[in-house]
Amino acid sequence: HIQDPASQRLTWNKPPKSVLVIKKIRDASLLQPFKKLCVYLTEENNMIVYVEKKVLEDPAIANDENFGPVKKKFCTFREDYDDISNQIDFIICLGGDGTLLYASSLFQGSVPPVMAFHLGSLGFLTPFNFENFQSEVTQVIEGNAALVLRSRLKVKVVKEHREKTTVQNGIEENGVVSANLEKEAGKQVMQYQVLNEVVVDRGPSSYLSNVDVFLNGHLITTVQGDGVIVSTPTGSTAYAAAAGASMIHPNVPAIMITPICPHSLSFRPIVVPAGVELKIMLSPDARNTAWVSFDGRKRQEICHGDSISITTSCYPLPSICFRDPVSDWFESLAECLHWNVRKKQNNFTVEEEE
């Protein structure tokens, strides 16, 4: 049985009590919407509001005496320090697409439903307008909303143990001043949950990137160019679209592999089934290292012997729809990317037809 995407609905086992409000930092235009939303949630809905500590450090919020009583009710947290993953019922984002990506990064396991208001620059992933936020939020609290489950990528980076020795006076054989590095015991393993894409690129090097791509253990190709993008369907309308890939609806279970400026006329973007395991490594004869980033964050260098394993995560991001998954997606294509917009061809007049 193939499920109709429009049939996915948000339902609560019990009424939601806690909400995480994420606001784009350093954006003065969001201060008033943020204050209005927080007052509405705390005073009219008696909800527990979680806010990131650095948001409240903004002088415009910290020095607002009228907002003080509301601010005292907040629960605060700090990224990378406090784990709030089991305390949040749903999330409200105020900003652009980057705000939603940031919300995704805060939850490395299960993600609560996310309601995203379009208060940023692009707004492809943020379908709600803020004008009628009271009625929209009330509908979500009552469970009257459609959902789209945006698949994420589970990424594991394994870095080999390296030992770097220096010659006398800290000068290597090539004459470059070197730093003494501490010895690492065993391999270093890092894991990430990625909503848009994993990008492997050549970094500052002037040489082509030269990386091998494996699918379920089999070498499928070597990428020679500026790099490669491994994206979800949600990420297909981001960097992958700019690199010439097809745009895929988020309900389609797939992983996209898109080369960045490949030095080959026949290297076309491909789509592989969700659930396969991809592995990316530097080719043995690569002239230089590569660099990897995850939704544009946590950028780091990849050397010979390191590996990046990518597969579909079992923790998708439930995104609350404005209308339904299909209508929202095509409206975003039209509004944000102006997909297939052109001047219409004139019809024939009666004389011309005759």
Side-chain angles (χ1 to χ4, degrees):
H1 175 67
I2 298 176
Q3 186 181 23
D4 177 8
S7 67
Q8 293 176 168
R9 307 293 298 184
L10 171 65
T11 57
W12 301 106
N13 292 327
K14 56 183 179 180
K17 294 295 183 184
S18 59
V19 56
L20 168 61
V21 178
I22 298 178
K23 184 186 85 69
K24 185 180 179 182
I25 304 296
R26 296 184 298 275
D27 191 336
S29 66
L30 297 183
L31 291 175
Q32 288 307 313
F34 171 74
K35 292 175 182 179
K36 288 180 181 178
L37 176 65
C38 291
V39 169
Y40 176 74
L41 292 170
T42 55
E43 296 186 356
E44 297 193 33
N45 290 279
N46 295 318
M47 299 199 74
I48 302 170
V49 176
Y50 284 77
V51 177
E52 196 167 5
K53 198 168 185 179
K54 62 184 178 183
V55 170
L56 300 182
E57 293 169 355
D58 189 318
I61 295 177
N63 300 329
D64 187 346
E65 295 180 359
N66 296 328
F67 194 60
V70 177
K71 192 169 60 174
K72 288 179 181 177
K73 300 178 182 178
F74 290 159
C75 295
T76 59
F77 73 97
R78 294 171 299 168
E79 183 189 8
D80 297 331
Y81 284 94
D82 302 315
D83 182 13
I84 58 169
S85 55
N86 293 323
Q87 302 168 35
I88 305 298
D89 291 329
F90 76 105
I91 305 169
I92 297 179
C93 291
L94 303 177
D97 293 347
T99 312
L100 184 65
L101 294 173
Y102 177 68
S104 171
S105 71
L106 294 175
F107 294 86
Q108 294 299 298
S110 179
V111 189
V114 181
M115 183 181 193
F117 285 96
H118 173 37
L119 291 164
S121 53
L122 185 61
F124 195 93
L125 306 177
T126 53
F128 288 93
N129 292 317
F130 196 75
E131 286 78 12
N132 302 315
F133 77 92
Q134 294 98 333
S135 60
E136 304 290 359
V137 171
T138 299
Q139 281 193 342
V140 171
I141 293 173
E142 293 173 352
N144 182 22
L147 271 184
V148 56
L149 296 178
R150 297 185 178 276
S151 65
R152 298 197 293 175
L153 299 175
K154 182 176 74 172
V155 187
K156 184 172 72 172
V157 179
V158 179
K159 294 192 174 184
E160 293 287 342
H161 162 71
R162 290 186 183 81
E163 183 178 329
K164 187 174 182 179
T165 58
T166 58
V167 296
Q168 193 173 4
N169 298 326
I171 306 296
E172 294 179 337
E173 292 180 359
N174 59 4
V176 179
V177 178
S178 63
N180 292 310
L181 300 180
E182 295 182 2
K183 296 180 180 179
E184 297 177 353
K187 297 181 180 180
Q188 183 183 10
V189 180
M190 293 156 287
Q191 293 197 22
Y192 306 94
Q193 296 284 332
V194 177
L195 179 60
N196 259 2
E197 73 273 301
V198 179
V199 178
V200 180
D201 61 73
R202 61 189 175 95
S205 173
S206 59
Y207 298 115
L208 294 173
S209 70
N210 198 338
V211 296
D212 293 335
V213 180
F214 300 83
L215 192 149
N216 289 344
H218 301 284
L219 176 66
I220 58 170
T221 193
T222 297
V223 180
Q224 294 186 93
D226 280 356
V228 63
I229 304 166
V230 179
S231 64
T232 63
T234 294
S236 71
T237 49
Y239 195 174
S246 294
M247 295 180 288
I248 299 179
H249 189 277
N251 276 111
V252 177
I255 298 175
M256 303 179 62
I257 303 172
T258 306
I260 308 170
C261 299
H263 203 247
S264 166
L265 296 176
S266 59
F267 196 165
R268 302 293 299 275
I270 61 171
V271 180
V272 297
V276 301
E277 183 176 26
L278 297 171
K279 192 172 185 179
I280 299 177
M281 300 181 70
L282 273 180
S283 298
D285 55 351
R287 292 183 175 184
N288 58 298
T289 61
W291 289 77
V292 62
S293 60
F294 315 94
D295 283 342
R297 308 182 71 199
K298 309 289 185 183
R299 185 169 170 79
Q300 54 196 269
E301 191 173 17
I302 298 298
C303 303
H304 283 92
D306 298 344
S307 66
I308 306 165
S309 299
I310 306 169
T311 189
T312 303
S313 170
C314 59
Y315 300 111
L317 183 140
S319 181
I320 299 171
C321 301
F322 178 64
R323 276 196 289 271
D324 63 76
V326 175
S327 299
D328 283 12
W329 192 70
F330 277 101
E331 189 164 317
S332 291
L333 287 180
E335 289 291 324
C336 301
L337 301 183
H338 294 174
W339 178 62
N340 197 27
V341 173
R342 73 178 293 271
K343 188 177 180 180
K344 286 192 174 182
Q345 188 178 45
N346 292 333
N347 62 332
F348 285 128
T349 62
V350 177
E351 291 81 5
E352 288 173 326
E353 288 179 351
E354 291 176 352

